[in-house]
Amino acid sequence: MATIRHSVHETRGFKTHVAQAGDGPPLLLLHGWPEFWATWEPLIDRLADDYRLIAPDFRGFGESENPNPEPCDQTGADVLADDIIALLDTLGLERVCIVGHDVASFVMQRLAIRFPERVSGLFFFNCPTTSVGARWRAPDQIREIWYQTFHQMPYAAALVGASRDACRAHIGHFLKHWCHRKDAFDPVLERWVDNFLRPGNLQGGFNWYISANAGRMAVMAGTAPMPPKIDVPTRVLWGRHDPVLRSAWADVLPEHFSDLEVGFAEGSGHFVHYEEPDLAATEIRRFFARLSAALPSRST
């Protein structure tokens, strides 16, 4: 087991928790919902000998502070990207490679567009883009995205957090339903419930959906502007069986990335890094080996 170091850093007026392991080239690990830094533990165990792994909790997630404990729209992709840049500055890191998925996939795209000089390479587990368009609201997709509206309700956090059983039922549903390997999170479910019952954490995650809603509606309506194409070298490993971020949506990735490699994890759903960590670690090593000349030297 890798030795994990925990630290807390003041960033943009709130405290950001970071878990780190290893001391090689820096590799940033960015989580999604319903997750926090611990979602990366299987990969940390497999990659700590190769990289300095840096797994922060986004604002309002995990052990980071939630500067907006009430429902608000201040947790969008650009805000979280600015948080990450502030964290990199605090850690003294000029340039990093990034691995992430779900919420992080939107943040990583904004980082690569706005701060390309800070990013050497991108590795996505599944990657929705603007070009998905109206497929977000296709008839067979509506039943999968209901939660994105529910999470915007002002009473959502109170309902889900009303009891441990309620929290377990809600969070546990997604951890099981979105997986192809249905038992992947069973051993850590209670730990996940503990995390989301921390004060502010349910609303912290739900604020992402409030903040992303206007952009999501524009994408569905076909009125969202096409973002600039990303030139940062990019690898997408998409879980073939993801029911919410569908692997068929990989067909539009070339519209958004100029240096792109796409593949599929045939044994995974939404959480490739947790369902098939051996495959995920192997592909991360292989991809970033190709970019080794661009990786920064060891940093303290």
Side-chain angles (χ1 to χ4, degrees):
M1 298 285 288
T3 299
I4 297 176
R5 309 182 298 273
H6 295 271
S7 57
V8 176
H9 306 268
E10 189 77 22
T11 51
R12 294 183 8 106
F14 68 97
K15 291 180 173 61
T16 295
H17 166 259
V18 181
Q20 297 190 61
D23 63 354
L27 186 61
L28 193 64
L29 306 175
L30 299 181
H31 63 79
W33 185 93
E35 295 174 284
F36 58 112
W37 74 267
T39 195
W40 299 114
E41 284 182 330
L43 285 187
I44 289 172
D45 285 340
R46 289 161 173 82
L47 294 174
D49 290 339
D50 302 285
Y51 305 100
R52 175 186 173 188
L53 301 168
I54 304 163
D57 287 322
F58 287 132
R59 61 168 65 196
F61 286 80
E63 297 173 50
S64 290
E65 282 187 334
N66 182 1
N68 306 109
E70 301 300 322
C72 81
D73 62 357
Q74 295 303 305
T75 312
D78 280 318
V79 171
L80 297 181
D82 287 339
D83 290 348
I84 292 301
I85 292 298
L87 177 63
L88 294 181
D89 290 344
T90 298
L91 296 176
L93 297 170
E94 290 297 323
R95 195 172 176 89
V96 294
C97 291
I98 308 177
V99 174
H101 85 122
D102 193 73
V103 173
S105 66
F106 297 94
V107 178
M108 290 161 67
Q109 290 175 69
R110 296 306 298 164
L111 284 166
I113 289 168
R114 296 176 54 215
F115 307 100
E117 73 284 357
R118 307 297 296 270
V119 184
S120 297
L122 300 168
F123 193 110
F124 294 87
F125 296 111
N126 314 356
C127 185
T129 61
T130 302
S131 295
V132 172
R135 285 189 282 182
W136 270 112
R137 55 178 171 81
D140 63 347
Q141 186 70 7
I142 293 296
R143 67 177 182 271
E144 299 296 345
I145 63 171
W146 64 271
Y147 70 95
Q148 298 183 6
T149 300
F150 170 68
H151 287 176
Q152 298 177 57
M153 298 298 103
Y155 52 80
L159 279 180
V160 176
S163 70
R164 187 174 186 87
D165 286 344
C167 186
R168 183 189 299 108
H170 191 70
I171 300 301
H173 164 75
F174 296 100
L175 294 178
K176 189 174 290 289
H177 175 60
W178 286 348
C179 278
H180 182 60
R181 183 166 69 83
K182 297 301 184 184
D183 63 347
F185 286 93
D186 285 358
V188 296
L189 177 57
E190 295 306 316
R191 186 177 174 192
W192 254 243
V193 175
D194 288 341
N195 166 75
F196 281 98
L197 287 177
R198 290 171 63 99
N201 278 14
L202 283 169
Q203 191 62 58
F206 293 172
N207 282 346
W208 159 256
Y209 295 96
I210 297 171
S211 304
N213 186 61
R216 185 170 68 103
M217 293 294 102
V219 167
M220 291 181 184
T223 58
M226 189 70 170
K229 206 165 194 178
I230 291 170
D231 294 325
V232 176
T234 299
R235 169 75 163 115
V236 177
L237 181 60
W238 210 308
R240 180 69 78 181
H241 307 284
D242 190 340
V244 63
L245 303 181
R246 297 178 181 259
S247 59
W249 297 351
D251 62 350
V252 296
L253 288 172
E255 299 175 19
H256 294 269
F257 301 93
S258 61
D259 184 350
L260 174 67
E261 180 185 347
V262 182
F264 299 92
E266 300 295 342
S268 291
H270 186 66
F271 304 100
V272 180
H273 57 288
Y274 218 90
E275 297 179 69
E276 295 187 88
D278 288 335
L279 171 65
T282 296
E283 289 301 308
I284 287 170
R285 285 195 197 92
R286 186 189 61 77
F287 177 69
F288 289 121
R290 167 191 152 195
L291 305 182
S292 58
L295 280 166
S297 59
R298 293 175 180 260
S299 177
T300 57

